Structures are given as structure tokens and as C-alpha cells.
Coordinates of all heavy atoms in Angstrom, one line a residue:
P163 N 43.5 -34.1 -4.2 CA 42.8 -33.8 -5.5 C 41.5 -34.6 -5.6 O 40.6 -34.0 -6.0 CB 43.9 -34.3 -6.5 CG 45.2 -34.2 -5.8 CD 44.9 -34.4 -4.4
G164 N 41.5 -35.8 -5.3 CA 40.2 -36.6 -5.2 C 39.4 -36.6 -6.4 O 39.9 -36.9 -7.5
Y165 N 38.1 -36.3 -6.3 CA 37.1 -36.4 -7.3 C 37.5 -35.9 -8.7 O 37.3 -36.6 -9.6 CB 35.9 -35.6 -6.8 CG 34.6 -35.8 -7.6 CD1 33.7 -36.8 -7.3 CD2 34.3 -34.9 -8.6 CE1 32.6 -37.0 -8.0 CE2 33.1 -35.0 -9.3 CZ 32.2 -36.1 -9.0 OH 31.1 -36.2 -9.7
Y166 N 38.1 -34.8 -8.8 CA 38.4 -34.2 -10.1 C 39.9 -34.5 -10.4 O 40.3 -34.2 -11.5 CB 38.2 -32.7 -10.1 CG 36.8 -32.3 -10.1 CD1 36.2 -31.7 -9.0 CD2 35.9 -32.7 -11.2 CE1 34.9 -31.3 -9.0 CE2 34.6 -32.3 -11.2 CZ 34.1 -31.7 -10.1 OH 32.7 -31.3 -10.1
G167 N 40.6 -35.1 -9.6 CA 42.0 -35.5 -9.8 C 42.9 -34.3 -10.1 O 42.5 -33.1 -9.9
F168 N 44.1 -34.5 -10.4 CA 45.1 -33.4 -10.7 C 44.6 -32.5 -11.8 O 44.8 -31.3 -11.8 CB 46.5 -33.9 -10.9 CG 47.2 -34.3 -9.7 CD1 47.6 -35.7 -9.5 CD2 47.5 -33.4 -8.7 CE1 48.2 -36.1 -8.4 CE2 48.1 -33.8 -7.5 CZ 48.5 -35.2 -7.4
K169 N 44.0 -33.1 -12.8 CA 43.6 -32.3 -14.0 C 42.5 -31.3 -13.6 O 42.6 -30.1 -14.0 CB 43.1 -33.2 -15.1 CG 42.7 -32.5 -16.4 CD 42.2 -33.4 -17.4 CE 43.3 -34.2 -18.0 NZ 42.9 -35.1 -19.1
G170 N 41.6 -31.7 -12.8 CA 40.5 -30.8 -12.3 C 41.1 -29.7 -11.5 O 40.7 -28.6 -11.6
I171 N 42.0 -30.1 -10.6 CA 42.6 -29.1 -9.7 C 43.4 -28.1 -10.6 O 43.3 -26.9 -10.3 CB 43.5 -29.7 -8.7 CG1 42.7 -30.6 -7.7 CG2 44.3 -28.7 -7.9 CD1 41.5 -30.0 -7.0
H172 N 44.1 -28.6 -11.6 CA 44.8 -27.7 -12.5 C 43.9 -26.7 -13.2 O 44.1 -25.5 -13.3 CB 45.6 -28.5 -13.5 CG 46.3 -27.7 -14.6 ND1 45.8 -27.6 -15.8 CD2 47.4 -26.9 -14.5 CE1 46.6 -26.8 -16.5 NE2 47.6 -26.4 -15.7
I173 N 42.7 -27.2 -13.7 CA 41.8 -26.4 -14.4 C 41.2 -25.3 -13.4 O 41.1 -24.1 -13.8 CB 40.7 -27.2 -15.0 CG1 41.3 -28.0 -16.2 CG2 39.5 -26.3 -15.5 CD1 40.4 -29.1 -16.7
I174 N 40.8 -25.8 -12.2 CA 40.3 -24.8 -11.3 C 41.3 -23.8 -10.9 O 41.0 -22.6 -10.8 CB 39.8 -25.6 -10.0 CG1 38.6 -26.5 -10.4 CG2 39.4 -24.6 -8.9 CD1 38.2 -27.4 -9.3
L175 N 42.5 -24.2 -10.6 CA 43.6 -23.2 -10.3 C 43.8 -22.2 -11.4 O 43.9 -21.0 -11.1 CB 44.9 -24.0 -9.9 CG 46.1 -23.1 -9.5 CD1 45.7 -22.2 -8.3 CD2 47.3 -24.0 -9.3
R176 N 43.9 -22.7 -12.6 CA 44.1 -21.8 -13.8 C 43.0 -20.8 -13.9 O 43.2 -19.6 -14.1 CB 44.3 -22.5 -15.1 CG 45.6 -23.3 -15.1 CD 46.8 -22.5 -15.3 NE 46.7 -21.7 -16.5 CZ 47.4 -20.6 -16.7 NH1 48.2 -20.2 -15.8 NH2 47.2 -19.9 -17.8
T177 N 41.8 -21.3 -13.8 CA 40.6 -20.4 -13.9 C 40.5 -19.4 -12.8 O 40.4 -18.2 -13.1 CB 39.3 -21.3 -13.9 OG1 39.4 -22.2 -15.0 CG2 38.1 -20.4 -14.1
L178 N 40.7 -19.8 -11.6 CA 40.7 -18.9 -10.5 C 41.9 -17.9 -10.5 O 41.7 -16.7 -10.2 CB 40.6 -19.6 -9.1 CG 39.4 -20.4 -8.8 CD1 39.5 -21.2 -7.5 CD2 38.2 -19.5 -8.8
G179 N 43.0 -18.4 -10.9 CA 44.2 -17.6 -11.1 C 43.9 -16.5 -12.1 O 44.3 -15.3 -11.8
T180 N 43.3 -16.8 -13.2 CA 43.0 -15.8 -14.2 C 41.9 -14.8 -13.6 O 42.1 -13.6 -13.8 CB 42.4 -16.4 -15.5 OG1 43.4 -17.3 -16.0 CG2 42.1 -15.4 -16.5
L181 N 40.9 -15.3 -13.0 CA 39.9 -14.5 -12.5 C 40.3 -13.5 -11.3 O 39.9 -12.4 -11.3 CB 38.7 -15.3 -11.9 CG 37.8 -16.0 -12.9 CD1 36.9 -17.0 -12.2 CD2 37.0 -15.0 -13.7
F182 N 41.2 -14.0 -10.5 CA 41.5 -13.2 -9.3 C 43.0 -12.7 -9.3 O 43.2 -11.6 -9.1 CB 41.2 -14.1 -8.0 CG 39.8 -14.3 -7.8 CD1 39.3 -15.6 -8.1 CD2 38.9 -13.3 -7.4 CE1 37.9 -15.8 -7.9 CE2 37.6 -13.5 -7.3 CZ 37.1 -14.8 -7.5
A183 N 43.9 -13.6 -9.3 CA 45.3 -13.3 -9.1 C 45.9 -12.4 -10.3 O 46.4 -11.3 -10.1 CB 46.2 -14.5 -8.9
E184 N 45.7 -12.9 -11.5 CA 46.3 -12.2 -12.6 C 45.6 -10.9 -12.9 O 46.2 -9.9 -13.4 CB 46.2 -13.1 -13.9 CG 47.2 -14.3 -13.8 CD 47.0 -15.2 -15.0 OE1 46.4 -14.8 -16.0 OE2 47.6 -16.3 -14.9
S185 N 44.3 -10.8 -12.5 CA 43.6 -9.5 -12.7 C 43.8 -8.6 -11.6 O 43.2 -7.5 -11.6 CB 42.1 -9.8 -12.9 OG 41.5 -10.3 -11.7
K186 N 44.5 -9.0 -10.6 CA 44.8 -8.2 -9.4 C 43.5 -7.9 -8.5 O 43.5 -7.0 -7.8 CB 45.5 -6.9 -9.7 CG 46.7 -7.0 -10.5 CD 47.8 -7.7 -9.7 CE 49.1 -7.8 -10.6 NZ 50.0 -8.8 -10.2
K187 N 42.5 -8.7 -8.7 CA 41.2 -8.6 -7.9 C 41.4 -9.2 -6.5 O 40.6 -9.0 -5.7 CB 40.1 -9.2 -8.7 CG 39.6 -8.5 -9.9 CD 38.5 -9.2 -10.5 CE 38.1 -8.4 -11.8 NZ 37.0 -9.1 -12.5
L188 N 42.5 -9.9 -6.4 CA 42.7 -10.6 -5.1 C 44.0 -10.0 -4.5 O 45.1 -10.3 -5.0 CB 42.9 -12.1 -5.3 CG 42.9 -12.9 -4.0 CD1 41.7 -12.8 -3.2 CD2 43.1 -14.4 -4.4
S189 N 43.9 -9.1 -3.6 CA 45.1 -8.5 -3.0 C 45.4 -9.0 -1.6 O 44.6 -9.5 -0.9 CB 44.9 -7.0 -3.0 OG 43.9 -6.6 -2.2
S190 N 46.7 -8.8 -1.2 CA 47.1 -9.3 0.1 C 46.3 -8.6 1.2 O 46.1 -9.3 2.2 CB 48.6 -9.0 0.3 OG 49.4 -9.7 -0.7
N191 N 45.9 -7.4 1.1 CA 45.2 -6.8 2.2 C 43.8 -7.4 2.3 O 43.1 -7.2 3.4 CB 45.1 -5.3 2.0 CG 44.4 -4.8 0.8 OD1 44.1 -5.6 -0.1 ND2 44.2 -3.5 0.7
M192 N 43.3 -8.0 1.3 CA 42.0 -8.7 1.4 C 42.0 -10.0 2.0 O 40.9 -10.5 2.5 CB 41.4 -8.8 -0.1 CG 41.1 -7.6 -0.8 SD 40.7 -7.8 -2.5 CE 39.2 -8.9 -2.4
I193 N 43.1 -10.6 2.1 CA 43.2 -12.0 2.5 C 44.1 -12.3 3.7 O 44.5 -13.4 4.0 CB 43.6 -13.0 1.3 CG1 44.9 -12.5 0.7 CG2 42.5 -13.1 0.3 CD1 45.4 -13.3 -0.4
S194 N 44.4 -11.3 4.5 CA 45.1 -11.4 5.7 C 46.5 -11.9 5.6 O 47.3 -11.3 4.8 CB 44.3 -12.3 6.7 OG 44.8 -12.3 7.9
S195 N 46.9 -13.0 6.2 CA 48.3 -13.4 6.3 C 48.7 -14.3 5.1 O 49.8 -14.7 5.1 CB 48.5 -14.1 7.6 OG 47.7 -15.3 7.7
L196 N 47.8 -14.6 4.2 CA 48.2 -15.5 3.1 C 48.6 -14.7 1.9 O 48.0 -13.6 1.6 CB 47.1 -16.4 2.7 CG 46.6 -17.4 3.8 CD1 45.4 -18.1 3.3 CD2 47.7 -18.4 4.2
S197 N 49.4 -15.2 1.0 CA 49.7 -14.6 -0.3 C 48.5 -14.9 -1.2 O 47.7 -15.8 -0.9 CB 51.0 -15.1 -0.9 OG 50.7 -16.4 -1.4
P198 N 48.3 -14.1 -2.2 CA 47.2 -14.5 -3.2 C 47.2 -15.9 -3.7 O 46.2 -16.6 -3.7 CB 47.4 -13.5 -4.3 CG 48.0 -12.3 -3.6 CD 48.9 -12.9 -2.6
M199 N 48.4 -16.4 -4.0 CA 48.5 -17.8 -4.5 C 48.2 -18.8 -3.4 O 47.5 -19.8 -3.6 CB 49.9 -18.1 -5.1 CG 49.9 -19.5 -5.7 SD 48.6 -19.8 -7.0 CE 49.0 -18.7 -8.2
E200 N 48.6 -18.5 -2.2 CA 48.3 -19.4 -1.0 C 46.8 -19.4 -0.8 O 46.2 -20.5 -0.6 CB 49.0 -19.0 0.3 CG 50.4 -19.2 0.3 CD 51.1 -18.6 1.5 OE1 50.7 -17.5 2.0 OE2 52.2 -19.1 1.9
Y201 N 46.1 -18.3 -0.9 CA 44.7 -18.2 -0.7 C 44.0 -18.9 -1.8 O 43.0 -19.7 -1.5 CB 44.3 -16.7 -0.7 CG 42.8 -16.5 -0.3 CD1 42.4 -16.6 1.0 CD2 41.8 -16.2 -1.2 CE1 41.1 -16.5 1.4 CE2 40.5 -16.1 -0.9 CZ 40.2 -16.2 0.5 OH 38.9 -16.0 0.8
L202 N 44.5 -18.8 -3.0 CA 43.9 -19.6 -4.1 C 44.0 -21.1 -3.9 O 43.0 -21.8 -4.0 CB 44.6 -19.3 -5.4 CG 44.2 -18.0 -6.2 CD1 45.1 -17.8 -7.4 CD2 42.7 -18.1 -6.6
T203 N 45.2 -21.6 -3.6 CA 45.4 -23.0 -3.4 C 44.8 -23.6 -2.2 O 44.4 -24.8 -2.2 CB 46.9 -23.4 -3.5 OG1 47.6 -22.7 -2.5 CG2 47.4 -23.0 -4.9
E204 N 44.8 -22.8 -1.1 CA 44.4 -23.4 0.2 C 42.9 -23.1 0.5 O 42.3 -23.8 1.4 CB 45.3 -22.9 1.3 CG 46.7 -23.4 1.2 CD 47.6 -22.8 2.2 OE1 47.1 -22.5 3.4 OE2 48.8 -22.7 2.0
V205 N 42.3 -22.1 -0.1 CA 40.9 -21.7 0.2 C 40.0 -21.8 -1.0 O 39.0 -22.6 -1.0 CB 40.8 -20.3 0.8 CG1 39.4 -19.9 1.1 CG2 41.7 -20.2 2.1
L206 N 40.3 -21.1 -2.0 CA 39.4 -21.0 -3.2 C 39.3 -22.3 -4.0 O 38.2 -22.7 -4.4 CB 39.8 -19.8 -4.1 CG 39.5 -18.4 -3.4 CD1 39.9 -17.3 -4.4 CD2 38.1 -18.2 -3.0
V207 N 40.5 -22.9 -4.3 CA 40.4 -24.1 -5.1 C 39.6 -25.2 -4.4 O 38.7 -25.8 -4.9 CB 41.8 -24.6 -5.5 CG1 41.8 -26.0 -6.1 CG2 42.5 -23.6 -6.5
P208 N 39.9 -25.5 -3.1 CA 39.1 -26.6 -2.4 C 37.7 -26.2 -2.3 O 36.8 -27.1 -2.5 CB 39.8 -26.7 -1.0 CG 41.2 -26.1 -1.2 CD 41.1 -25.1 -2.2
E209 N 37.4 -25.0 -2.0 CA 36.0 -24.6 -1.9 C 35.2 -24.7 -3.2 O 34.1 -25.1 -3.3 CB 35.9 -23.1 -1.3 CG 34.4 -22.7 -1.0 CD 33.7 -23.5 0.0 OE1 34.4 -24.1 0.9 OE2 32.5 -23.5 0.0
T210 N 35.9 -24.3 -4.3 CA 35.3 -24.4 -5.6 C 35.1 -25.9 -6.0 O 34.0 -26.2 -6.5 CB 36.2 -23.8 -6.7 OG1 36.4 -22.4 -6.4 CG2 35.7 -23.9 -8.1
A211 N 36.0 -26.7 -5.7 CA 35.9 -28.2 -5.9 C 34.7 -28.7 -5.1 O 33.9 -29.5 -5.7 CB 37.2 -28.9 -5.6
I212 N 34.6 -28.3 -3.9 CA 33.5 -28.8 -3.0 C 32.1 -28.4 -3.7 O 31.2 -29.2 -3.8 CB 33.6 -28.2 -1.6 CG1 34.7 -28.9 -0.9 CG2 32.3 -28.3 -0.9 CD1 35.1 -28.2 0.4
R213 N 32.0 -27.1 -4.1 CA 30.8 -26.6 -4.6 C 30.4 -27.3 -6.0 O 29.3 -27.6 -6.3 CB 30.8 -25.1 -4.8 CG 31.0 -24.4 -3.5 CD 29.8 -24.7 -2.5 NE 30.1 -24.1 -1.2 CZ 29.2 -24.0 -0.3 NH1 27.9 -24.3 -0.5 NH2 29.5 -23.5 0.9
L214 N 31.5 -27.6 -6.8 CA 31.3 -28.2 -8.1 C 30.8 -29.7 -7.9 O 29.9 -30.2 -8.6 CB 32.5 -28.2 -8.9 CG 32.8 -26.8 -9.5 CD1 34.2 -26.8 -10.2 CD2 31.8 -26.3 -10.5
I215 N 31.4 -30.4 -6.9 CA 31.0 -31.8 -6.7 C 29.6 -31.8 -6.2 O 28.8 -32.6 -6.7 CB 31.9 -32.4 -5.6 CG1 33.4 -32.6 -6.2 CG2 31.4 -33.8 -5.2 CD1 34.4 -32.9 -5.2
V216 N 29.2 -30.9 -5.3 CA 27.8 -30.9 -4.7 C 26.9 -30.6 -5.9 O 25.8 -31.3 -6.0 CB 27.7 -29.8 -3.6 CG1 26.3 -29.5 -3.3 CG2 28.4 -30.3 -2.4
Q217 N 27.2 -29.7 -6.8 CA 26.3 -29.4 -7.9 C 26.3 -30.5 -8.9 O 25.2 -30.9 -9.4 CB 26.8 -28.1 -8.6 CG 26.0 -27.7 -9.8 CD 26.5 -26.4 -10.4 OE1 27.4 -25.7 -9.9 NE2 26.0 -26.1 -11.5
D218 N 27.5 -31.1 -9.2 CA 27.6 -32.2 -10.2 C 26.8 -33.4 -9.8 O 26.1 -34.0 -10.6 CB 29.1 -32.5 -10.4 CG 29.3 -33.5 -11.5 OD1 28.6 -33.5 -12.5 OD2 30.2 -34.3 -11.3
R219 N 26.9 -33.8 -8.5 CA 26.3 -35.0 -8.0 C 24.9 -34.7 -7.4 O 24.2 -35.7 -7.0 CB 27.2 -35.6 -6.9 CG 28.5 -36.1 -7.4 CD 28.5 -37.3 -8.3 NE 27.8 -38.4 -7.7 CZ 28.5 -39.4 -7.0 NH1 29.8 -39.4 -6.9 NH2 27.8 -40.4 -6.5
N220 N 24.5 -33.5 -7.3 CA 23.2 -33.1 -6.7 C 23.0 -33.7 -5.3 O 22.1 -34.4 -5.0 CB 22.0 -33.5 -7.6 CG 20.7 -32.8 -7.2 OD1 20.8 -31.8 -6.7 ND2 19.6 -33.5 -7.5
I221 N 24.0 -33.4 -4.5 CA 24.1 -34.0 -3.1 C 24.2 -32.8 -2.1 O 24.5 -31.7 -2.5 CB 25.2 -35.0 -2.9 CG1 26.6 -34.3 -3.2 CG2 25.1 -36.2 -3.8 CD1 27.8 -35.1 -2.9
S222 N 24.0 -33.2 -0.9 CA 24.1 -32.2 0.2 C 25.6 -32.1 0.6 O 26.4 -33.0 0.3 CB 23.3 -32.5 1.4 OG 23.8 -33.6 2.0
L223 N 25.9 -31.0 1.3 CA 27.3 -30.9 1.9 C 27.6 -32.1 2.8 O 28.7 -32.5 3.0 CB 27.5 -29.6 2.5 CG 27.6 -28.4 1.6 CD1 27.6 -27.1 2.4 CD2 28.8 -28.5 0.7
L224 N 26.6 -32.6 3.5 CA 26.8 -33.7 4.4 C 27.2 -35.0 3.7 O 27.9 -35.8 4.2 CB 25.5 -33.9 5.2 CG 25.1 -32.8 6.2 CD1 23.7 -33.1 6.8 CD2 26.1 -32.6 7.2
E225 N 26.7 -35.2 2.5 CA 27.0 -36.4 1.7 C 28.4 -36.2 1.0 O 28.9 -37.2 0.6 CB 25.9 -36.6 0.7 CG 24.6 -36.9 1.2 CD 23.5 -36.9 0.2 OE1 23.3 -35.8 -0.4 OE2 22.9 -37.9 -0.1
L226 N 28.9 -35.0 1.0 CA 30.1 -34.8 0.2 C 31.3 -35.5 0.7 O 32.1 -36.1 -0.1 CB 30.4 -33.3 0.2 CG 31.7 -32.8 -0.4 CD1 31.6 -33.0 -1.9 CD2 32.0 -31.4 -0.1
A227 N 31.5 -35.6 2.0 CA 32.7 -36.3 2.6 C 32.8 -37.7 2.1 O 33.9 -38.1 1.7 CB 32.7 -36.2 4.1
E228 N 31.7 -38.4 2.1 CA 31.7 -39.8 1.6 C 32.0 -39.9 0.1 O 32.8 -40.7 -0.3 CB 30.4 -40.5 1.9 CG 30.5 -42.0 1.6 CD 29.2 -42.7 2.1 OE1 28.6 -42.2 3.0 OE2 29.0 -43.8 1.6
V229 N 31.5 -39.0 -0.7 CA 31.7 -39.0 -2.1 C 33.2 -38.7 -2.4 O 33.8 -39.4 -3.2 CB 30.8 -38.0 -2.8 CG1 31.2 -37.8 -4.3 CG2 29.3 -38.4 -2.8
M230 N 33.7 -37.7 -1.7 CA 35.1 -37.4 -1.9 C 36.1 -38.6 -1.5 O 37.0 -38.9 -2.2 CB 35.5 -36.1 -1.1 CG 34.9 -34.9 -1.7 SD 35.3 -33.4 -0.9 CE 37.0 -33.2 -1.4
K231 N 35.8 -39.2 -0.4 CA 36.6 -40.3 0.1 C 36.5 -41.5 -0.9 O 37.5 -42.1 -1.3 CB 36.1 -40.8 1.5 CG 37.0 -41.9 2.1 CD 36.5 -42.3 3.4 CE 35.6 -43.4 3.1 NZ 35.0 -44.1 4.2
D232 N 35.3 -41.8 -1.3 CA 35.1 -42.9 -2.2 C 35.6 -42.7 -3.6 O 35.9 -43.6 -4.4 CB 33.6 -43.3 -2.3 CG 33.0 -43.8 -1.0 OD1 33.8 -44.2 -0.1 OD2 31.8 -43.9 -0.9
S233 N 35.7 -41.4 -4.1 CA 36.1 -41.2 -5.4 C 37.5 -40.8 -5.6 O 38.0 -40.5 -6.8 CB 35.2 -40.0 -6.0 OG 35.5 -38.8 -5.3
T234 N 38.3 -40.7 -4.6 CA 39.7 -40.3 -4.7 C 40.5 -41.1 -5.7 O 41.1 -40.5 -6.6 CB 40.4 -40.3 -3.3 OG1 39.7 -39.4 -2.4 CG2 41.8 -39.9 -3.4
N235 N 40.5 -42.4 -5.6 CA 41.3 -43.2 -6.5 C 40.8 -43.1 -7.9 O 41.6 -43.0 -8.8 CB 41.3 -44.7 -6.0 CG 42.2 -44.9 -4.8 OD1 43.0 -44.1 -4.5 ND2 41.8 -45.9 -4.0
L236 N 39.5 -43.2 -8.1 CA 39.0 -43.0 -9.4 C 39.3 -41.7 -10.0 O 39.7 -41.6 -11.2 CB 37.5 -43.3 -9.4 CG 36.8 -43.2 -10.8 CD1 37.3 -44.3 -11.7 CD2 35.3 -43.3 -10.6
G237 N 39.2 -40.6 -9.3 CA 39.5 -39.3 -9.7 C 40.9 -39.2 -10.2 O 41.2 -38.5 -11.2
M238 N 41.8 -39.7 -9.4 CA 43.2 -39.7 -9.7 C 43.5 -40.5 -11.0 O 44.4 -40.1 -11.8 CB 44.1 -40.2 -8.6 CG 44.0 -39.4 -7.3 SD 44.5 -37.7 -7.6 CE 46.2 -37.9 -7.8
Y239 N 42.8 -41.6 -11.2 CA 43.0 -42.4 -12.4 C 42.4 -41.8 -13.7 O 43.0 -41.6 -14.7 CB 42.4 -43.8 -12.2 CG 42.5 -44.7 -13.4 CD1 43.7 -45.3 -13.7 CD2 41.4 -44.9 -14.2 CE1 43.8 -46.1 -14.9 CE2 41.4 -45.7 -15.3 CZ 42.6 -46.3 -15.6 OH 42.7 -47.1 -16.7
V240 N 41.1 -41.3 -13.6 CA 40.4 -40.8 -14.7 C 40.9 -39.4 -15.1 O 41.0 -39.1 -16.3 CB 38.9 -40.7 -14.4 CG1 38.1 -40.0 -15.5 CG2 38.3 -42.1 -14.2
H241 N 41.2 -38.6 -14.1 CA 41.6 -37.2 -14.3 C 43.1 -37.0 -14.0 O 43.5 -36.0 -13.4 CB 40.8 -36.3 -13.5 CG 39.3 -36.4 -13.7 ND1 38.7 -36.1 -14.9 CD2 38.3 -36.9 -12.9 CE1 37.4 -36.3 -14.8 NE2 37.2 -36.8 -13.6
D242 N 43.9 -37.9 -14.5 CA 45.4 -37.8 -14.4 C 45.9 -36.6 -15.1 O 45.2 -36.0 -15.9 CB 46.1 -39.1 -14.9 CG 47.5 -39.2 -14.4 OD1 47.9 -38.4 -13.5 OD2 48.2 -40.1 -14.9
I243 N 47.1 -36.2 -14.8 CA 47.6 -34.9 -15.4 C 49.0 -35.2 -16.0 O 49.7 -36.1 -15.5 CB 47.7 -33.8 -14.4 CG1 48.0 -32.5 -15.0 CG2 48.7 -34.1 -13.3 CD1 47.8 -31.3 -14.1
E244 N 49.3 -34.6 -17.1 CA 50.6 -34.7 -17.8 C 51.7 -34.0 -16.9 O 51.4 -33.0 -16.2 CB 50.5 -34.1 -19.2 CG 49.5 -34.8 -20.1 CD 49.8 -36.2 -20.4 OE1 51.0 -36.5 -20.6 OE2 48.8 -37.0 -20.5
E245 N 52.9 -34.5 -17.0 CA 54.0 -33.9 -16.3 C 54.1 -32.4 -16.6 O 54.5 -31.6 -15.8 CB 55.3 -34.6 -16.6 CG 56.4 -34.2 -15.7 CD 57.7 -35.0 -15.9 OE1 57.6 -36.2 -16.3 OE2 58.7 -34.5 -15.6
D246 N 53.9 -32.0 -17.9 CA 54.0 -30.6 -18.3 C 53.0 -29.7 -17.5 O 53.3 -28.6 -17.1 CB 53.8 -30.4 -19.8 CG 54.9 -31.0 -20.6 OD1 56.0 -31.2 -20.1 OD2 54.7 -31.1 -21.8
N247 N 51.8 -30.3 -17.2 CA 50.8 -29.5 -16.5 C 51.2 -29.4 -15.0 O 50.9 -28.4 -14.4 CB 49.5 -30.1 -16.6 CG 48.9 -30.0 -18.0 OD1 49.3 -29.1 -18.7 ND2 48.0 -30.8 -18.4
I248 N 51.9 -30.5 -14.5 CA 52.3 -30.4 -13.1 C 53.4 -29.3 -13.0 O 53.4 -28.5 -12.1 CB 52.9 -31.7 -12.6 CG1 51.8 -32.8 -12.5 CG2 53.6 -31.6 -11.3 CD1 52.3 -34.2 -12.3
N249 N 54.3 -29.2 -14.0 CA 55.3 -28.2 -14.0 C 54.7 -26.8 -14.1 O 55.2 -25.8 -13.5 CB 56.3 -28.5 -15.1 CG 57.2 -29.7 -14.8 OD1 57.4 -30.1 -13.7 ND2 57.6 -30.3 -15.9
E250 N 53.6 -26.7 -14.9 CA 53.0 -25.4 -15.0 C 52.4 -25.0 -13.7 O 52.5 -23.8 -13.3 CB 51.8 -25.5 -16.1 CG 51.2 -24.2 -16.4 CD 50.1 -24.4 -17.4 OE1 50.1 -25.3 -18.2 OE2 49.2 -23.5 -17.5
I251 N 51.8 -25.9 -13.0 CA 51.2 -25.6 -11.6 C 52.3 -25.1 -10.7 O 52.2 -24.1 -10.0 CB 50.4 -26.8 -11.0 CG1 49.2 -27.1 -11.8 CG2 50.1 -26.5 -9.6 CD1 48.5 -28.3 -11.5
I252 N 53.4 -25.8 -10.7 CA 54.6 -25.5 -9.9 C 55.1 -24.1 -10.3 O 55.3 -23.2 -9.4 CB 55.7 -26.5 -10.0 CG1 55.2 -27.8 -9.3 CG2 57.0 -26.0 -9.3 CD1 56.1 -29.0 -9.6
D253 N 55.1 -23.8 -11.5 CA 55.6 -22.4 -12.0 C 54.6 -21.3 -11.5 O 55.1 -20.3 -11.1 CB 55.7 -22.4 -13.5 CG 56.9 -23.2 -14.1 OD1 57.8 -23.5 -13.2 OD2 56.9 -23.5 -15.3
I254 N 53.3 -21.6 -11.6 CA 52.3 -20.6 -11.2 C 52.5 -20.3 -9.7 O 52.6 -19.2 -9.3 CB 50.9 -21.1 -11.4 CG1 50.6 -21.2 -12.9 CG2 49.9 -20.3 -10.7 CD1 49.3 -21.9 -13.2
I255 N 52.7 -21.4 -8.9 CA 52.9 -21.2 -7.4 C 54.2 -20.5 -7.1 O 54.3 -19.6 -6.3 CB 52.8 -22.5 -6.7 CG1 51.3 -23.1 -6.8 CG2 53.2 -22.4 -5.3 CD1 51.2 -24.5 -6.4
D256 N 55.3 -20.9 -7.8 CA 56.6 -20.3 -7.6 C 56.7 -18.8 -8.0 O 57.3 -18.0 -7.4 CB 57.7 -21.1 -8.4 CG 58.0 -22.4 -7.7 OD1 57.6 -22.6 -6.6 OD2 58.6 -23.2 -8.4
N257 N 55.9 -18.5 -9.1 CA 56.0 -17.1 -9.5 C 55.2 -16.1 -8.6 O 55.3 -14.9 -8.7 CB 55.5 -17.0 -11.0 CG 56.5 -17.6 -11.9 OD1 57.7 -17.5 -11.7 ND2 56.0 -18.1 -13.0
E258 N 54.4 -16.7 -7.8 CA 53.6 -15.8 -6.9 C 54.5 -15.3 -5.8 O 54.9 -14.7 -5.3 CB 52.4 -16.6 -6.3 CG 51.5 -15.8 -5.5 CD 51.0 -14.5 -6.2 OE1 50.7 -14.5 -7.4 OE2 50.9 -13.5 -5.5

């Protein structure tokens, strides 16, 4: 989770889930061997977080690794998530 913590990952997942999975814009034949939820969680959520951090911090992709490493603990502390939201994420993944 790092920079945005669990809360940020939850927001990104919900947003991408609404944009792609729930609207059926992301189908299994488009993403090869992954389910739509696997593609969201393993490809789109991390890529979205990367692009948002680069934009937020106005840094290059080369500088990103250090920022992510340095901000992991702070991100987890500042952007903690409630247990109900963790259960919601689990439900989203399980329902896929």
C-alpha cells in the first residue's frame, strides 16, 4: 500500500471497480489469463497509484521507487483504514 496506505488503495480499487468491472468495460477476453478483479488489483491499482504519486510529487518515474520506499510507514499511518473498509475490499474481491 505504501504512499497512499490502505485507504488510498481502497479508494483507487472502488473507483477503478466502478469504471471498469461493474460497468463490464473490462472483460476476461481483454485481459488474458487474469480475472477482471485480479487485473484491477494486480495491474490497474498499482499503475494508478504510481501515476498519481508521480503527478502528486511532480517527480520522475526514476525517483518514484525511493519515494515509495521512504513513505510506506507514513502512508500506512496517515491513510489507515477502518476494519469495515477492509471487509468491503475483501467482499469486492470475493464476489468477483
Side-chain angles (χ1 to χ4, degrees):
Y165 187 86
Y166 291 113
F168 282 117
K169 186 179 287 184
I171 297 305
H172 175 253
I173 292 168
I174 293 169
L175 179 60
R176 291 288 302 156
T177 302
L178 292 175
T180 300
L181 287 172
F182 294 106
E184 292 176 13
S185 67
K186 305 295 183 201
K187 290 181 182 176
L188 189 62
S189 63
S190 297
N191 63 350
M192 294 172 60
I193 52 177
S194 186
S195 62
L196 299 175
S197 74
M199 187 52 67
E200 288 171 330
Y201 190 76
L202 278 174
T203 58
E204 295 179 27
V205 178
L206 293 181
V207 169
E209 186 63 26
T210 300
I212 285 168
R213 299 299 171 165
L214 288 172
I215 295 167
V216 166
Q217 181 180 349
D218 186 37
R219 298 291 301 267
N220 195 27
I221 59 175
S222 71
L223 288 173
L224 295 174
E225 297 168 295
L226 177 68
E228 186 171 337
V229 168
M230 289 181 74
K231 184 181 93 177
D232 291 346
S233 66
T234 298
N235 290 336
L236 180 63
M238 296 301 291
Y239 177 75
V240 172
H241 304 291
D242 196 10
I243 192 168
E244 301 294 323
E245 187 173 338
D246 289 344
N247 290 336
I248 292 171
N249 291 332
E250 185 179 338
I251 292 171
I252 291 168
D253 289 343
I254 290 168
I255 293 169
D256 286 346
N257 288 331
E258 186 53 38

